[in-house]
Amino acid sequence: KYLSTFIKTLKYMRSPPTPEMATQEVPLNETLAHLKTESETLKSKLEEERAKLHDVELHQVAEKVEGLGQFVMKTRRTLKGHGNKVLCMDWCKDKRRIVSSSQDGKVIVWDAFTTNKEHAVTMPCTWVMACAYAPSGCAVACGGLDNKCSVYPLSLDKNENLAAKKKSVAMHTNYLSACSFTNSDMQILTSSGDGTCALWDVESGQLLQSFHGHAADVLCLDLAPSETGNTFVSGGCDKKANVWDMRSGQCIQSFETHESDINSVRYYPSGDAFASGSDDATCRLYDLRADREVAIYSKDSIIFGVSSVDFSLSGRLLFGGYNDYTINVWDVLKGTRVSILFGHENRVSTLRVSPDGTAFCTGSWDHTLRIWA
Amino acid sequence: MTIRNVLRDHGQRYRPRMACLKKAEKVVLEMQDPATGVKLQPQRLVITTIPHAITGEDIVAWLADRFQIDAQEARSFGSMLVALGYIYPIQDHKRLVVKPDASLYRFQTPYFWPTQQWPVEDTDYAIYLAKRNIRKKGILELHEQEQYNRLHKWMNHKWDFIVMQAKEQYRAAKERKKPDRVVFDCQERAYWVVHRPPPGTVSAMDYGLERLIDPNAHEAKTPDDYERIMIFTQQSIMRPRVKSSVSIGALVKYCATYKGHDPFLSKCLPSNPWLTDDVTYWALNMPNVEIPTKMRVERWTFSFGELLSDPRGRDDFRLFLKKEFSGENLAFWEGCEDLKWGTAATMKEKAEQIYKTFLARGAPRWINIDGKTMEITVKGLKHPHRYVLDAAQTHIYMLMKKDSYGRYLKSPVFKETMKKAVCPEEHKFSDSQLEQNARNRRPSLSPIIIRQQEQEQKAKMAASAPVDITQVMSKLSKQGKEAPPRRTSVKND
């Protein structure tokens, strides 16, 4: 209905616009205002529909749940070796190896248990904001200001230059903010400052699917746990968290309740919910089946942004790395903070729980990584 | 879009992205409330007394009380306020932290707050350094001297203006009363410690890479944008959704189910390797270990997805299916997964292979799917793509989940596995044993070597007997990965 009004307005202006036609642009502005109000009315209707099925709050259901005891979480390993801010890290499926990337272009593979460095790559760019370990444990992917995501097969030969066998996979038109392998070494999902996410075939570098819908830089992504199908969630500077269908490239759900950039998104272990962390100093939990935000994790003594979040194995604990150098641990069900951890001397930029849930690793701008358990 | 290289930006641009600043301001204003704020006291300097100083311990106490947090957190919060420049230390002015003792601090004047509208300009910094140079030559620190020389070179064209401004400010300062002058000097010095920190120090003003979108910019939407938004909103309205009580209930139930398996909530048996430096836990839970632990087997009962995603569980299930002569379902499902996540180059061949093996009439491992699904699938296979077998895969998955899975859990195969499963005793290490464990940390086999071994095994078995590759896979996965392959008894059909 509105499209036809718009087309009519276009037909009204039969010749190229001239200054005298300024007065004839008035119908177009009115149409815009109309569209805006209509769009907002629809959004309210959506909220109404969502509210209809909202019969209970999370913390109400959580009242019947047993409280958590005291936690003693300490730094168990400190990994020193990066010469600059650590920006990203990922665990290997073997539960003890990790890959980390930093501002100076270095990507290091560690055996976190022994703290030995096993492999090192120097990227041709600085600010390597994304890195990921391949499911097989035999390759790593990384990228950043070079706008690309490259895959480096790892080698046992210490003298081999890993850069020689590097494969350039993803090509974006702006910085790479996050990357993740799917269920095999053959496909990579990326997100970029150019506002899009994309799925790539590693062997050929072919773009398999692109995902458009964010109105600003996309900062993070997370793949749904394998049993729950082919979706992933992304968060961006437009304050939206979008859930995408990998097959069609369509955005199937969108949540816009944060007040600032979303720096990190992570699925709940069952795949039916996800958490997000934002510059507005809150973490939030979104229930996918109820299609709404169900919890906000915040405290008035926490004013600095969250850079990274992850769940413990059961989903009961949410770990958040913050820009005020601390880590806050939240009780996901009751919404309370159970612990605050100190140790890093600069921003915590990345946080991941290990594949078997026995520990979590944090990377920081203080050049170190720490393993906590 | 071009990349704005902001690495060379020395704070010339106003920072729109520090969302914490507004919140910090609110707290600082509360702290300065004459009635409920932090206790003020005068600072004595030889003959002059400067009022309105606060001690570190009072800051910590006030914050701890206001936010109901402990002293360590209050101290951390206070230090962030100092790092941002809202409070500055009077003694030890270069260390931007709160010391929880009688060290003195003062509130920074709003003129010098980081949220002010104007950016922190190099011109101002140059004037400041020049002014200090005029007051007393040689007073600049090494890094300040270097900055001064650099600015002199870069701003040579306006150097006369800078020197003039510096002289004027110096002259105006002399006309102020001494206490005011001392305070202003402290404030100005503190401001520059925050915004031009010595190299190598941690700066709270460092916010990393600039993001492309400007949060303060207003983006005008076109009619097309609104159309798209409305279509999406309509679709969202029509999406089926579930009652909160149902979905939240499921989330709570999941936590309860897995609580005993979460290493942060329950003890790992025998012990968490990160805590005791003993890797038995990992050895017992290797992907393809012969005998699983009881906890691991218990997880297979939580959901069909858990069973399938654990390689050891999947093997057990495969063994059971073989006995029921319905192994082709699992093989088909695995083939579909391989198609979906595999490399694009071999996709078409894989799809064809799967069709020949499982779907074609008279296929050697024909799977039983309903007519409609078969029709869609065969039609799709004319132009195969990654997700062409989705419908069939879902059908088979649901069949296994609703039928085979339940029977598996009651089967002798599962019962046998459960009976043999180990339940290790909890480790009780003494302090000296723990120290020894820490000294004896060993590296583990690289995933690269493990994969090489697997590939060698596959090649060996493929070469030795012409069997169906799926049966080869099941033999392989029965063997452990750490030691050289042992001969296990493999039942023949």
Side-chain angles (χ1 to χ4, degrees):
Chain A
K1 177 173 158 206
Y2 296 99
L3 198 57
S4 58
T5 320
F6 180 49
I7 292 171
K8 277 190 206 140
T9 320
L10 274 181
K11 285 188 184 152
Y12 191 81
M13 312 201 288
R14 261 175 246 148
S15 45
T18 58
E20 308 95 272
M21 293 181 105
T23 47
Q24 289 170 355
E25 280 172 27
V26 170
L28 182 60
N29 282 339
E30 276 178 5
T31 316
L32 259 178
H34 258 298
L35 286 176
K36 186 166 178 208
T37 12
E38 186 64 24
S39 158
E40 265 148 37
T41 317
L42 263 184
K43 280 201 182 140
S44 314
K45 180 131 193 287
L46 173 59
E47 289 313 312
E48 260 176 55
E49 287 297 312
R50 280 174 165 165
K52 275 185 196 163
L53 289 174
H54 185 56
D55 52 348
V56 76
E57 297 285 343
L58 175 59
H59 63 83
Q60 285 173 296
V61 181
E63 270 162 28
K64 304 180 199 128
V65 178
E66 205 184 300
L68 294 170
Q70 279 297 325
F71 285 94
V72 179
M73 280 179 237
K74 285 197 260 189
T75 302
R76 305 290 169 177
R77 300 285 191 278
T78 305
L79 304 176
K80 296 190 185 162
H82 277 292
N84 215 313
K85 304 183 165 85
V86 177
L87 302 176
C88 187
M89 61 81 48
D90 191 18
W91 287 90
C92 175
K93 283 217 159 71
D94 76 350
K95 308 152 192 175
R96 49 188 283 172
R97 284 175 171 77
I98 63 172
V99 61
S100 60
S101 63
S102 80
Q103 184 194 340
D104 60 2
K106 289 264 184 337
V107 175
I108 301 178
V109 174
W110 317 69
D111 175 0
F113 187 72
T114 55
T115 71
N116 291 342
K117 300 185 202 33
E118 296 196 338
H119 309 272
V121 172
T122 306
M123 292 280 286
C125 68
T126 56
W127 288 89
V128 186
M129 291 171 272
C131 65
Y133 222 123
S136 69
C138 301
V140 293
C142 46
L145 275 189
D146 56 352
N147 300 359
K148 295 194 229 162
C149 184
S150 310
V151 175
Y152 290 83
L154 298 174
S155 160
L156 291 167
D157 182 354
K158 298 273 172 198
N159 295 324
E160 185 175 333
N161 182 7
L162 293 177
K165 296 216 179 95
K166 145 178 152 178
K167 266 183 262 192
S168 256
V169 177
M171 291 277 290
H172 279 280
T173 54
N174 224 301
Y175 67 86
L176 190 84
S177 54
C179 66
S180 173
F181 283 89
T182 61
N183 286 354
S184 79
D185 285 17
M186 317 295 183
Q187 289 176 11
I188 286 195
L189 192 59
T190 58
S191 67
S192 164
D194 66 12
T196 68
C197 301
L199 181 66
W200 309 82
D201 177 67
V202 173
E203 276 304 318
S204 61
Q206 186 193 353
L207 172 67
L208 299 173
Q209 183 65 260
S210 68
F211 306 89
H212 297 261
H214 277 290
D217 319 34
V218 186
L219 297 177
C220 50
L221 59 82
D222 191 35
L223 276 153
S226 33
E227 306 94 65
T228 52
N230 317 300
T231 59
F232 73 94
V233 62
S234 66
C237 289
D238 55 358
K239 310 172 198 169
K240 286 207 219 132
N242 290 341
V243 182
W244 306 86
D245 179 342
M246 279 170 74
R247 291 168 292 189
S248 61
Q250 293 300 314
C251 173
I252 47 183
Q253 269 173 294
S254 185
F255 301 92
E256 196 175 349
T257 60
H258 270 294
E259 292 162 15
S260 195
D261 302 357
I262 298 179
N263 297 314
S264 176
V265 285
R266 195 72 64 205
Y267 270 94
Y268 188 78
S270 72
D272 290 330
F274 70 91
S276 59
S278 159
D279 273 343
D280 66 6
T282 67
C283 301
R284 293 171 198 238
L285 185 68
Y286 298 91
D287 184 322
L288 291 169
R289 296 199 294 158
D291 192 28
R292 62 182 302 113
E293 173 194 286
V294 292
I296 304 181
Y297 306 101
S298 68
K299 213 171 179 306
D300 51 5
S301 61
I302 299 174
I303 61 172
F304 282 79
V306 189
S307 63
S308 196
V309 294
D310 204 354
F311 286 99
S312 71
L313 190 142
S314 64
R316 183 67 191 270
L317 297 176
L318 180 69
F319 302 104
Y322 287 71
N323 292 343
D324 64 357
Y325 324 168
T326 65
I327 297 148
N328 286 289
V329 185
W330 301 91
D331 179 335
V332 171
L333 302 182
K334 292 191 188 274
T336 53
R337 187 196 54 194
V338 294
S339 196
I340 177 169
L341 303 173
F342 301 94
H344 277 298
E345 291 163 13
N346 204 332
R347 228 182 245 214
V348 178
S349 53
T350 179
L351 186 155
R352 296 295 296 262
V353 173
S354 77
D356 62 354
T358 47
F360 68 90
C361 178
T362 53
S364 162
W365 283 11
D366 68 4
H367 310 186
T368 68
L369 293 123
R370 283 173 182 243
I371 309 285
W372 306 77
Chain B
M1 275 191 270
T2 52
I3 304 168
R4 283 190 249 137
N5 190 338
V6 292
L7 299 178
R8 281 195 270 279
D9 180 296
H10 299 292
Q12 298 296 62
R13 200 180 328 223
Y14 169 55
R15 295 178 194 81
R17 198 149 251 114
M18 303 269 276
C20 53
L21 293 180
K22 292 264 180 294
K23 296 178 195 164
E25 257 180 49
K26 273 206 204 108
V27 176
V28 170
L29 286 171
E30 273 188 51
M31 287 172 83
Q32 293 181 70
D33 184 294
T36 56
V38 186
K39 198 167 52 168
L40 298 174
Q41 46 191 265
Q43 172 203 3
R44 286 197 144 63
L45 260 195
V46 194
I47 31 168
T48 351
T49 305
I50 292 117
H52 309 313
I54 46 181
T55 63
E57 43 195 18
D58 283 343
I59 293 175
V60 171
W62 189 92
L63 289 170
D65 178 64
R66 165 67 179 81
F67 292 121
Q68 293 297 300
I69 52 183
D70 68 6
Q72 190 181 17
E73 197 181 341
R75 181 176 168 184
S76 166
F77 189 92
S79 293
M80 289 314 292
L81 289 180
V82 177
L84 288 173
Y86 289 103
I87 298 173
Y88 63 90
I90 298 175
Q91 306 125 333
D92 200 4
H93 65 274
K94 285 184 260 185
R95 274 196 67 213
L96 300 179
V97 292
V98 165
K99 292 189 224 168
D101 51 24
S103 303
L104 292 175
Y105 297 80
R106 205 179 285 121
F107 291 108
Q108 181 61 286
T109 175
Y111 179 80
F112 282 135
W113 279 359
T115 34
Q116 293 313 308
Q117 292 300 325
W118 49 89
V120 183
E121 299 249 80
D122 275 341
T123 316
D124 293 326
Y125 190 45
I127 295 171
Y128 166 69
L129 289 176
K131 192 169 51 168
R132 280 181 55 201
N133 229 4
I134 293 172
R135 182 181 310 155
K136 187 173 174 191
K137 275 231 167 348
I139 200 175
L140 293 182
E141 310 239 346
L142 185 59
H143 77 94
E144 287 175 324
Q145 190 64 51
E146 285 173 6
Q147 289 274 33
Y148 183 76
N149 296 338
R150 192 186 58 86
L151 288 168
H152 183 85
K153 205 167 38 171
W154 180 48
M155 291 184 152
N156 211 311
H157 55 285
K158 31 179 175 174
W159 205 251
D160 290 338
F161 165 74
I162 286 170
V163 171
M164 185 186 77
Q165 281 290 306
K167 285 193 176 141
E168 181 54 37
Q169 287 186 15
Y170 182 60
R171 189 198 60 75
K174 281 225 246 183
E175 286 173 11
R176 271 190 231 121
K177 287 209 277 267
K178 179 147 186 204
D180 292 338
R181 191 172 1 130
V182 170
V183 169
F184 181 79
D185 284 348
C186 278
Q187 290 170 342
E188 193 184 32
R189 180 181 66 176
Y191 177 77
W192 289 111
V193 168
V194 169
H195 292 276
R196 290 290 183 273
T201 53
V202 173
S203 167
M205 290 295 119
D206 187 359
Y207 62 94
L209 264 194
E210 186 78 71
R211 288 166 190 172
L212 294 171
I213 192 95
D214 179 357
N216 295 335
H218 172 69
E219 255 188 65
K221 290 204 171 57
T222 66
D224 263 347
D225 286 338
Y226 283 119
E227 276 295 322
R228 248 179 288 130
I229 292 172
M230 285 198 284
I231 293 172
F232 182 75
T233 316
Q234 276 289 15
Q235 286 173 341
S236 303
I237 290 173
M238 297 197 294
R239 268 194 103 238
R241 51 183 67 79
V242 160
K243 270 204 285 196
S244 289
S245 51
V246 173
S247 58
I248 290 177
L251 295 179
V252 174
K253 185 158 176 244
Y254 189 94
C255 278
T257 309
Y258 284 83
K259 180 169 181 182
H261 296 256
D262 188 335
F264 280 102
L265 302 177
S266 313
K267 290 209 182 99
C268 265
L269 296 174
S271 65
N272 186 329
W274 299 105
L275 299 179
T276 59
D277 287 317
D278 180 297
V279 298
T280 312
Y281 180 73
W282 285 335
L284 291 176
N285 286 297
M286 292 289 281
N288 288 309
V289 75
E290 177 83 18
I291 296 178
T293 62
K294 279 219 167 15
M295 291 295 277
R296 190 172 179 176
V297 177
E298 188 187 68
R299 269 181 87 161
W300 303 344
T301 66
F302 292 163
S303 74
F304 184 51
E306 278 286 346
L307 178 67
L308 274 193
S309 57
D310 182 347
R312 183 63 187 79
R314 198 190 288 193
D315 283 347
D316 223 49
F317 187 58
R318 194 178 288 121
L319 189 61
F320 163 75
L321 287 178
K322 204 159 135 190
K323 293 196 164 169
E324 294 220 323
F325 301 105
S326 52
E328 65 277 359
N329 286 340
L330 183 59
F332 174 70
W333 183 85
E334 286 178 326
C336 294
E337 286 287 288
D338 187 38
L339 179 71
K340 257 201 307 203
W341 308 115
T343 185
T346 52
M347 187 195 54
K348 285 216 172 78
E349 296 158 38
K350 276 190 194 154
E352 269 195 45
Q353 186 61 32
I354 293 176
Y355 176 73
K356 278 197 215 137
T357 315
F358 298 98
L359 297 166
R361 214 171 299 185
R365 306 194 75 185
W366 190 77
I367 54 160
N368 193 358
I369 52 177
D370 65 284
K372 184 108 199 290
T373 313
M374 182 65 93
E375 203 186 302
I376 303 170
T377 307
V378 171
K379 196 162 152 206
L381 279 167
K382 291 201 173 58
H383 303 282
H385 57 89
R386 189 161 287 98
Y387 306 108
V388 70
L389 297 171
D390 257 9
Q393 185 184 10
T394 310
H395 180 97
I396 291 294
Y397 182 87
M398 294 313 277
L399 190 67
M400 289 194 290
K401 178 174 168 179
K402 297 206 162 109
D403 185 38
S404 316
Y405 177 56
R407 284 207 308 276
Y408 162 73
L409 292 177
K410 300 194 189 100
S411 71
V413 172
F414 178 70
K415 291 210 171 87
E416 184 73 16
T417 307
M418 186 51 134
K419 201 168 97 184
K420 282 206 203 134
V422 295
C423 191
E425 284 285 310
E426 188 186 342
H427 279 147
K428 295 243 189 284
F429 290 121
S430 67
D431 281 340
S432 58
Q433 280 173 318
L434 287 174
E435 276 173 28
Q436 196 170 24
N437 289 348
R439 280 194 293 269
N440 291 340
R441 287 179 203 158
R442 292 274 167 270
S444 69
L445 212 54
S446 166
I448 302 169
I449 296 182
I450 293 175
R451 190 170 71 169
Q452 272 174 8
Q453 285 178 346
E454 274 176 28
Q455 285 170 339
E456 281 164 19
Q457 263 297 294
K458 246 194 254 182
K460 221 190 279 179
M461 304 201 78
S464 62
V467 286
D468 187 2
I469 194 71
T470 49
Q471 292 180 8
V472 170
M473 285 312 296
S474 80
K475 271 186 208 168
L476 260 178
S477 47
K478 283 209 184 74
Q479 292 157 355
K481 273 190 187 164
E482 334 140 50
R486 300 183 294 272
R487 285 227 53 191
T488 54
S489 59
V490 175
K491 296 189 176 56
N492 297 313
D493 338 63

